[in-house]
Amino acid sequence: MGISTVEEGSPGKEQQAAGLGILLQIMMLVLSFVLGHVLRRHRFYYLPEASASLLIGLIVGGLANISDTETSIRAWFNFHEEFFFLFLLPPIIFQSGFSLSPKPFFSNFGAIVTFAILGTLIASVVTGVLVYLGGLMYLMYRLPFVECLMFGALISATDPVTVLSIFQQELGTDMNLYALVFGESVLNDAMAISLYRTMSLVRSHVSSGQNFFMVIVRFLETFVGSMSAGVGVGFTSALLFKYAGLDIDNLQNLECCLFVLFPYFSYMLAEGLSLSGIVSILFTGIVMKHYTYSNLSENSQRFVSAFFHLISSLAETFTFIYMGFDIAMEKHSWSHVGFIFFSILFIGVARAANVFSCAYLVNSVRPVHRQIPLNHQKALWYSGLRGAMAFALALQSVHDLPEGHGQTIFTATTAIVVLTVLLIGGSTGTMLGALQVVGDGHDGHLGEIFDGNNGYVAPTYNEDGTTGNRFKMKLKEFHKSTASFSALDRNYLTPFFTSQNGDDEEEHDDPMPSSRNGGFHDHS
């Protein structure tokens, strides 16, 4: 009969099962990292590391299902949601924000914000409306309208870890395209979480007849409140490390311990205030990388970079393994295949509405030589994989929604994550080559304008243009304001919160690494 099941009331058996479960998880992690290294070394892009981790989970779960040890393995791999939300997701999200390089991020800040905020809103609403209409037309499982919007919000959370692992030096992808994809994916998570929580609150108070204004207020409360908490903790840490005098050799341990604790302080503070800890820790990562990091000693900088790279890699790999294991082991609502099929079609349409409409707005305020070309827009559309964040929100929906509804959404999301990671992730290299966005990293059409000190200089506009469109003029003013923010940051914020001026900070800034791979090497 294989390995016997765990007997209740037997501490020895329970301890043995727990040990075997941990051993199984470690074995899968080791296999995933070794396989990922082999694939990367041989530049085999058709099976990225995230896909390999998913397949390992699928294979182990599938073997357990056809063997007589299913109950034991399920007990060994007992997975608590609290563990996912408290220990796996925070380091992944923090590393995403911590990996943002300020120079390309702020250079493309207007475009990134447009894609991440407005684009995610468009994608969420379009997906929700199409899913609701599909239910009315009996094409798929019917859900209430608010629950369709919740599904649209959670499935709009992109996680292009697999794509970014290929958007590296090996393929020489344009740095501005890399910045757009990476920056959009980071801020997109924050927007998706805030939209999901807002729709969840609307659903729970639907009987009170809240108007549209209250929905906007609740969204701003979640998003702006969480962002403010994260930014506040980040600025506090920067001032502490600047004036506390911790950057000396004999205080390195204290310096590193404090730096590691601040992200979790931000996460727990937001959760304690009934805000979003994920949004908060994301912005804490962005601020701490831009300001606090430069106040550390060189040894501490190396340590914290390696530490967060390590734990985020472990968390990401384990998350993808578990997703594969879960889809093979759990009892999903596979009877609603139509819901999965049409959801995949609808999110493709919604992603297109997101990317191409936002690209049109961005290009309408950019001079010709800085507009986002069509092949880059197609690359942005194609890179909308769903991953850890969509999975986490779908896991939450099982508890937020009635029985059957939440399980259907969770099954569909899990299937979408697996299909997008395996199919889109594996074909990304081919797609980049077909779109001709693979080069030496110097794309003249998207190259940013930098002054002698490598600072971003806002392009000049012809205010007497023939369009005469007041809306476009407002967009141009917003685009100019992003460059003004870069100047404000370089001239005031960086000198105030760090021990060096803005130019020095940009010169020593690390490239943007993916949390799985090495950094992107700047060719400038």
Side-chain angles (χ1 to χ4, degrees):
M1 286 294 295
I3 302 175
S4 61
T5 59
V6 179
E7 299 177 7
E8 294 185 4
S10 176
K13 292 287 185 179
E14 292 178 359
Q15 185 176 4
Q16 180 186 19
L20 289 174
I22 294 173
L23 175 63
L24 175 63
Q25 296 166 28
I26 292 175
M27 290 173 61
M28 288 192 289
L29 283 170
V30 171
L31 179 59
S32 178
F33 280 115
V34 172
L35 180 59
H37 169 72
V38 172
L39 294 173
R40 188 168 60 249
R41 184 174 182 178
H42 293 279
R43 298 191 176 187
F44 186 79
Y45 299 121
Y46 297 102
L47 186 64
E49 294 170 82
S51 302
S53 301
L54 270 172
L55 287 176
I56 290 172
L58 281 169
I59 292 172
V60 174
L63 291 176
N65 262 333
I66 62 176
S67 69
D68 56 0
T69 62
E70 175 183 351
T71 305
S72 297
I73 294 182
R74 189 187 300 273
W76 297 349
F77 216 92
N78 190 19
F79 185 86
H80 297 283
E81 295 171 19
E82 293 80 5
F83 177 74
F84 181 82
F85 284 102
L86 293 179
F87 296 102
L88 292 183
L89 204 54
I92 297 174
I93 302 302
F94 177 80
Q95 177 67 12
S96 297
F98 194 71
S99 298
L100 280 177
S101 182
K103 186 167 67 174
F105 176 73
F106 286 124
S107 298
N108 294 280
F109 184 74
I112 290 172
V113 169
T114 302
F115 282 110
I117 306 299
L118 178 61
T120 304
L121 178 62
I122 293 173
S124 300
V125 173
V126 170
T127 302
V129 170
L130 289 178
V131 169
Y132 181 71
L133 293 177
L136 291 179
M137 298 171 64
Y138 300 101
L139 296 175
M140 56 198 302
Y141 186 73
R142 183 173 179 179
L143 295 174
F145 183 64
V146 176
E147 294 180 12
C148 291
L149 292 178
M150 292 174 66
F151 175 67
L154 71 87
I155 206 63
S156 297
T158 60
D159 181 21
V161 170
T162 305
V163 175
L164 290 176
S165 67
I166 301 175
F167 274 42
Q168 298 289 330
Q169 177 68 14
E170 293 93 335
L171 292 180
T173 311
D174 177 80
M175 189 172 186
N176 291 284
L177 175 61
Y178 186 99
L180 283 176
V181 174
F182 192 54
E184 185 260 348
S185 68
V186 170
L187 297 183
N188 160 278
D189 286 347
M191 183 68 177
I193 294 169
S194 299
L195 285 173
Y196 176 84
R197 288 202 169 195
T198 301
M199 291 299 103
S200 180
L201 287 172
V202 170
R203 179 190 170 277
S204 60
H205 296 86
V206 68
S207 58
S208 62
Q210 294 189 47
N211 56 30
F212 181 74
F213 175 75
M214 290 305 300
V215 173
I216 299 298
V217 170
R218 289 188 176 276
F219 167 76
L220 293 176
E221 177 185 350
T222 301
F223 184 80
V224 178
S226 303
M227 180 181 67
S228 300
V231 171
V233 171
F235 280 143
T236 301
S237 68
L239 292 175
L240 173 66
F241 283 95
K242 179 179 180 179
Y243 293 107
L246 300 176
D247 55 342
I248 55 179
D249 291 340
N250 58 347
L251 292 179
Q252 181 182 342
N253 288 340
L254 175 61
E255 190 179 31
C256 295
C257 288
L258 288 175
F259 192 94
V260 170
L261 289 174
F262 267 103
Y264 272 100
F265 174 78
S266 171
Y267 183 89
M268 295 304 175
L269 174 65
E271 290 293 329
L273 296 174
S274 298
L275 300 172
S276 172
I278 297 300
V279 176
S280 179
I281 198 173
L282 169 63
F283 283 96
T284 298
I286 295 174
V287 173
M288 291 186 71
K289 174 58 183 296
H290 192 33
Y291 301 104
T292 312
Y293 183 77
S294 61
N295 293 330
L296 299 177
S297 62
E298 292 185 6
N299 289 335
S300 296
Q301 288 181 350
R302 287 192 292 268
F303 174 81
V304 297
S305 295
F307 176 78
F308 284 113
H309 179 93
L310 169 66
I311 61 173
S312 64
S313 295
L314 287 170
E316 283 174 358
T317 304
F318 185 85
T319 299
F320 281 108
I321 289 174
Y322 176 73
M323 281 192 282
F325 187 88
D326 176 83
I327 198 171
M329 291 287 289
E330 295 296 329
K331 296 180 179 179
H332 291 277
S333 301
W334 297 116
S335 58
H336 304 299
V337 178
F339 189 91
I340 299 173
F341 175 77
F342 284 104
S343 293
I344 294 174
L345 295 181
F346 292 158
I347 64 175
V349 173
R351 179 70 179 173
N354 166 359
V355 171
F356 296 114
S357 62
C358 290
Y360 173 79
L361 292 177
V362 172
N363 286 341
S364 67
V365 301
R366 283 187 168 186
V368 176
H369 69 281
R370 294 192 62 243
Q371 291 187 355
I372 305 174
L374 183 60
N375 59 342
H376 285 208
Q377 297 177 36
K378 293 178 180 178
L380 278 169
W381 172 77
Y382 198 82
S383 62
L385 281 82
R386 274 60 180 179
M389 183 54 63
F391 179 78
L393 293 176
L395 199 62
Q396 184 66 41
S397 71
V398 175
H399 302 284
D400 294 340
L401 301 179
E403 184 177 358
H405 294 189
Q407 191 62 39
T408 299
I409 288 177
F410 179 65
T411 299
T413 303
T414 305
I416 290 170
V417 169
V418 172
L419 289 175
T420 56
V421 170
L422 290 178
L423 298 181
I424 298 180
S427 59
T428 301
T430 304
M431 177 272 298
L432 291 176
L435 294 177
Q436 298 180 345
V437 296
V438 179
D440 59 359
H442 296 283
D443 190 315
H445 296 288
L446 265 179
E448 300 295 346
I449 305 173
F450 293 94
D451 62 15
N453 293 323
N454 290 331
Y456 179 69
V457 177
T460 57
Y461 299 101
N462 182 5
E463 301 295 341
D464 299 323
T466 58
T467 60
N469 190 315
R470 181 174 298 180
F471 178 66
K472 286 188 176 182
M473 297 300 295
K474 291 292 183 183
L475 289 176
K476 289 185 177 182
E477 290 176 5
F478 171 76
H479 188 71
K480 288 182 179 180
S481 69
T482 62
S484 299
F485 177 77
S486 296
L488 173 67
D489 170 67
R490 185 172 63 251
N491 297 327
Y492 298 100
L493 296 180
T494 297
F496 180 77
F497 287 105
T498 70
S499 303
Q500 52 190 256
N501 60 49
D503 297 334
D504 291 340
E505 196 276 335
E506 285 187 351
E507 289 174 1
H508 292 89
D509 180 61
D510 289 342
M512 293 181 300
S514 161
S515 57
R516 283 177 165 262
N517 291 334
F520 184 96
H521 297 283
D522 191 354
H523 295 279
S524 58

